[in-house]
Amino acid sequence: MSTAAFTDLAWQVLAGFAVAFVVGWLLLQVLPRYALRQTAYEDAPESHRGKSGTPTMGGIAILAAIALSTFFIHDARVQALMILVFGCALVGLIDDLIGARTGSNSGLRARTKLLATALVAATFMRMVPGNDALFHAGAFTLLVPYWLWLVLGI
């Protein structure tokens, strides 16, 4: 990695940390007003009951940092990865909003989350340039057919 590339990467990471810090702080100020809080299951262990009342939606700060850090990278693989990350985050957001709205820990059903995540994964696999290689280590290469990744993504 060249010095210029390393410097660019370092600035992207620092900008991501700064954005996550600022957005996280803002979320801590705003989210309590909307009563978006975690609720533990009734039959949860005692150690998990302390989770009740914790503000939810903190992943927004992480997504903002990722978005800023990768905004200027124009690579098909990175863009596909961002669709995967934001697609899965959208499933989590919907799940959290439903749970917070009902005041219980009953967001999306497990089957619905699985189907939505599988659709996001299949979209990601279609966007990634086809490659049969799974792992490279020196002269050793483990090959898995690209079509198998598509099936596993669904």
Side-chain angles (χ1 to χ4, degrees), residues 36-78:
L36 297 173
R37 301 193 175 272
Q38 290 285 340
T39 305
Y41 289 111
E42 295 82 28
D43 58 347
E46 193 63 37
S47 60
H48 287 246
R49 293 184 193 232
K51 176 182 171 181
S52 287
T54 303
T56 187
M57 307 291 176
I60 294 171
I62 295 168
L63 290 176
I66 291 171
L68 177 77
S69 298
T70 59
F71 184 74
F72 299 105
I73 300 174
H74 301 290
D75 182 278
R77 291 172 296 184
V78 173

Side-chain angles (χ1 to χ4, degrees), residues 61-137:
I62 295 168
L63 290 176
I66 291 171
L68 177 77
S69 298
T70 59
F71 184 74
F72 299 105
I73 300 174
H74 301 290
D75 182 278
R77 291 172 296 184
V78 173
Q79 291 171 348
L81 185 60
M82 290 303 96
I83 287 182
L84 176 68
V85 168
F86 282 91
C88 289
L90 181 63
V91 173
L93 173 71
I94 293 168
D95 183 44
D96 282 353
L97 284 174
I98 292 171
R101 193 159 209 214
T102 61
S104 66
N105 206 346
S106 59
L108 291 173
R109 292 183 310 161
R111 288 181 186 170
T112 307
K113 283 189 269 192
L114 179 63
L115 176 63
T117 306
L119 289 173
V120 171
T123 302
F124 167 72
M125 291 305 298
R126 290 298 304 154
M127 292 182 69
V128 174
N131 189 353
D132 288 344
L134 169 66
F135 178 75
H136 293 286

